[in-house]
Amino acid sequence: MILFMTGFIFSARAQEMEVTGTVYDAQDKSPIVGATVTVKGSNNGTVTDVNGKYRIKAEKGETLVFSFIGYLQQEKKVKKSQLDVYLKPDLQTLDEVVVVAFGTQKKTSIVGSVARQAEMRVMPPMRPPFVVREDNSEEYEAFKENRFLSAVQHPLSTFSLDVDAASYGNIRRMINQGQMPEKDAVRVEEMINYFSYDYPQPSEGHPVRIVTETAVCPWNKKHKMVRIGVKAKEIPSETLPASNFVFLLDVSGSMFSANKLPLVKASMKLLVNNLRPKDRVAIVTYAGAAGEVLPSTSASDKQKIIEALDNLQAGGSTAGGAGIQLAYKIAEKNLVKGGNNRVILCTDGDFNVGVSSPTELESLIESERKSGVFLTVLGYGMGNYKDNKLQTLAQKGNGNHAYIDNLQEANKVLVNEFGGTMYAVAKDVKLQVEFNPNFVNAYRLIGYESRLLNDEDFNDDTKDAGELGAGHTVTALYEIVPVGVNVPVGSVDKLKYQQTGNDVSLPKFPDSKELLTVKLRYKEPDKDVSRKLEVPVLANRMNLNASQDFNFAMAAAMFGQLLRDSNFTGNAKYSDVINLARKGLGNDPNGYRHEFIRLVEAVEQLEK
């Protein structure tokens, strides 16, 4: 009997196999990203990746169910390990097909009282002169770009590190629609930091490391450019602590369109598909009111989480403040000590009920961040996108901010960069640079206008600053005017009671060979006291040929400044950006740098 049972178990296990394949659109044969694949009658499920591919374990003879928004569901019996499927569009849900410049976008229809979401596919970039026109009530925080400061009068430059990259994704969306980006939508530091750079791993017991490089400024050969790079330690995904996630999803009426809630659901499925059994997910939604639609659930039951996502529908007003409060309450209730506790907010930012102004949201999120729960803000949609509110939440809530314009971007942020986006290795990270007036006449920090701090904030551990995720790289660029080169920095009348301006004496160490010193403060995620790193940069250390990464970072900075119509880029042109970016292409496995060049070329055509 025992032998019989052993043979039976062996036989049953032998029938289980790993089934792989690709899910395609039956009409145009293109891969479908984010399609759901489940074993019928079980909790075993997955979603297709950015190439439409899936991988799932099933027994021979079992049935796989394939489904996606706007397509007819299809069932296939498992006969062999390779199984490709072609889904047919569900024409009953589509009452109109509108041809726009960047592809085919299928609208929604209302069947009874239920709004069924139509096809939402990743669109190829649009080329000028096509323009998508719609009512635009998007909101961006206005700011003035940093100017040159005298190294004598202002020897210190202090700011919070910024790992956000939302601005780049957002302006990419605008350019791909044939529109020039709004000036205040362009944050140069986020354009630079959208890209990863090859910085060495941290050592000596710190989770972060500082690297520097000096070269000639590409738009003014009389000036220098200093690159300050910060690298956070890498942690393999499988060894990350257990995660306690709360998905806070906006299901208000403004999220109805295909590039909003349907894209949110597909994005979250990509994330869920890559979670481990020890990770947990709760789902909170908000429209006119906030509610919990899924209590904290083990990621081993992926199908239950995916079903909860599939059942979401858009409608109603937007009580974002109430949603935030409930999400943090649930995150705290399920807090994992020493784990990764995070609220993931997906919204267009169009809050209009209860706590809704940037000031009110800032006050709310500052009180919630004390809980030890971190925040990731994912922005979606266009036309009514409220970038200013999402920036406030991310900056004041120990958070980061990304803009998701397609599923490739969702895959980049939530899968490829999971550790950097979702797991902080350092918080309240600040930089302070001291310039040596013996070598530096003036300097200008490129970008980070919304992240500037008072000099005394650097040593004040009560001041909030940015977080760094596992494996993240962050870059800051300074344009430096050497001593002997003139630059307008402004002047004031002589003071009666103390020295000022040129009357201020030069430093005590005229023989110092240092151009500047970089200082960094950070806290470990569960600590309240900061640690400091310090790195000097020698005046004679300048590369006549900048590294590939440095060239690309300068190209991104030049592009951002041109889009903002900066006063500081001299005679720089978009063709200069392209040439410099090509010098910095290096190893580009995901094609992000090549895509950047295509965007610059598109803007060059738009301007013509």
Side-chain angles (χ1 to χ4, degrees), residues 526-544:
D526 58 347
K527 298 289 193 304
D528 295 319
V529 178
S530 67
R531 299 178 67 186
K532 186 174 80 168
L533 294 173
E534 190 169 310
V535 173
V537 177
L538 297 178
N540 61 357
R541 290 284 182 89
M542 188 172 81
N543 292 342
L544 296 178

Side-chain angles (χ1 to χ4, degrees), residues 485-504:
V485 178
N486 293 324
V487 66
V489 293
S491 63
V492 296
D493 292 340
K494 284 188 176 182
L495 299 182
K496 292 175 64 176
Y497 308 112
Q498 65 187 53
Q499 292 181 326
T500 186
N502 294 329
D503 296 329
V504 177

Side-chain angles (χ1 to χ4, degrees), residues 250-253 285-290 315-320 322 352-354:
D250 183 350
V251 294
S252 63
T285 61
Y286 64 91
S317 52
T318 315
N352 53 32
V353 174

Side-chain angles (χ1 to χ4, degrees), residues 31 33-34 49-52 120-125 172 194 263 266-267 270 403-417 590 592 595:
V33 185
D49 64 17
V50 291
N51 297 309
M120 189 288 303
R121 299 281 304 287
V122 177
M123 304 298 182
R172 176 179 60 199
Y194 179 84
L263 180 55
S267 303
L270 287 177
Y403 179 82
I404 309 298
D405 54 338
N406 56 47
L407 265 178
Q408 282 97 330
E409 185 66 11
N411 191 70
K412 175 182 185 289
V413 172
L414 300 174
V415 179
N416 294 345
E417 299 175 359
N590 296 306
Y592 300 137
E595 178 194 54

